[in-house]
Amino acid sequence: MISESSSFIKGVVLGGAFCMLVTLLGHIKVGHGTKAHHHEHHHIQAPNKEDVLNLSEGERVELSKNIHVYCIILVKPKDLGHWAAARETWSKHCDKAEFYSSEKVKVFDSVAVNTNDMWAMMRKAYKITYERYKDEFSWFFLAYPTTFAIIENLKYFLLKKDPSQPFYIGHTVKSGDLEYVDGEGGIVLSIESLRRLSRVLEDPDKCPEQGGMIWKLAEDKQLAICLKYTGVFAENAEDSEGKDVFNTKSVGALIKEAMSTHPQQVVDGCCSDMAITFSGLAPNHMHVMMYGVYRLRPYGHSYSDALVFLPPPGSDND
């Protein structure tokens, strides 16, 4: 169940405080691009509480049942600790989650893509995903093993978005003339964007697997270039108050920054109540986040969420 009250952020802040006591995580690249003149919506927002309350009960139930998210987590054998943590925590809340590994690993089930290059891994993961699940899911979330995601908040954000439109969502960054979604915060594609991507992946001139200048770029930048050829552009995701919901830093790092820049408003200056991702977490931090986000609750407090996102059948999520 998602929370539209400050109880969610209190739990997250508690998790973040514990994370800070364990260690101070390094900084991750951040930044926002400027609006592309040919793109009609660069900043997109989650619905506010009033929007949801104005829906009929039948509409709410239908919406909550129809948003299905497939999660792709890119991993390598060196990531076993993070792999295990993601497997045991937030990925259980996806409607289906699969780990795409650079090679076959006996310890955990995974889809082996047999390459160690991140761009090649990402390409193959998206290609396999489209071939297998294009008729089953409408939204596709890709993350690295150091990312922690609150999938219920992602579903809430996508509540009134049309997956037949070419959405490419996350934390946008500007690099020269290129605007892209930073992979550290997670990348969301609608089925229409994934369909277009699957086509351009077959065009070596527009979207080469290797060779040329594009090969020297990070995988998230290369993805943006390929999508741009299909008319799909990066969009920054924000809550109804304009705060980022895909974060490329950990809660601990964001709290530390807020303590410096907004010492009188640490919580409000830190993060959105409806945050979807945090990044740069160690495996033990993920378990602490799981505790703060999903398990810690004040006894006797009544939640009045307008929607309920039920776990998929047979799921062992928390």
Side-chain angles (χ1 to χ4, degrees), residues 15-221:
F18 275 97
C19 291
M20 289 181 68
L21 291 175
V22 178
T23 186
L24 177 62
L25 300 179
H27 292 284
I28 307 297
K29 55 183 178 178
V30 295
H32 293 289
T34 56
K35 186 171 181 178
H37 69 279
H38 53 282
H39 193 36
E40 61 181 11
H41 49 77
H42 170 69
H43 294 269
I44 54 177
Q45 294 188 332
N48 57 43
K49 185 176 182 179
E50 287 68 31
D51 290 337
V52 178
L53 290 174
N54 287 334
L55 298 173
S56 69
E57 184 175 354
E59 288 175 317
R60 294 179 202 169
V61 172
E62 193 65 24
L63 281 172
S64 63
K65 289 170 58 178
N66 288 338
I67 300 178
H68 300 128
V69 176
Y70 174 78
C71 297
I72 301 166
I73 302 101
L74 301 180
V75 292
K76 295 182 178 181
K78 67 180 180 64
D79 302 321
L80 278 179
H82 286 93
W83 187 342
R87 182 173 175 269
E88 295 165 4
T89 59
W90 67 267
S91 68
K92 293 180 180 180
H93 291 248
C94 302
D95 291 285
K96 185 176 181 65
E98 288 188 301
F99 293 82
Y100 287 77
S101 177
S102 57
E103 61 186 79
K104 186 69 175 178
V105 177
K106 294 182 179 179
V107 182
F108 300 122
D109 291 333
S110 66
V111 180
V113 293
N114 301 315
T115 178
N116 202 50
D117 181 85
M118 288 300 295
W119 171 230
M121 286 181 65
M122 184 179 283
R123 287 173 59 98
K124 290 187 176 183
Y126 275 132
K127 186 174 181 179
I128 293 170
T129 294
Y130 183 73
E131 291 172 350
R132 293 181 178 178
Y133 303 114
K134 62 179 180 292
D135 297 321
E136 188 174 347
F137 297 95
S138 298
W139 297 101
F140 303 85
F141 172 65
L142 181 142
Y144 298 148
T146 55
T147 301
F148 184 94
I150 300 98
I151 298 300
E152 291 83 356
N153 287 0
L154 173 58
K155 289 185 175 184
Y156 179 75
F157 180 85
L158 298 173
L159 191 65
K160 302 180 77 174
K161 308 292 187 298
D162 183 357
S164 67
Q165 296 300 311
F167 284 106
Y168 164 41
I169 305 168
H171 180 99
T172 59
V173 179
K174 186 82 170 180
S175 177
D177 292 330
L178 179 67
E179 195 161 24
Y180 67 98
V181 171
D182 192 328
E184 294 290 347
I187 301 170
V188 176
L189 296 181
S190 63
I191 183 60
E192 174 59 20
S193 290
L194 185 60
R195 182 186 68 80
R196 296 188 188 188
L197 177 62
S198 69
R199 284 189 317 197
V200 79
L201 287 175
E202 303 300 323
D203 188 336
D205 293 325
K206 294 180 178 178
C207 189
E209 183 171 349
Q210 58 183 337
M213 180 60 72
I214 191 173
W215 186 245
K216 299 176 183 179
L217 298 176
E219 66 277 3
D220 46 12
K221 294 181 180 179

Side-chain angles (χ1 to χ4, degrees), residues 4-16:
E4 298 157 347
S5 68
S6 62
S7 58
F8 166 77
I9 194 63
K10 288 177 182 176
V12 174
V13 169
L14 178 63

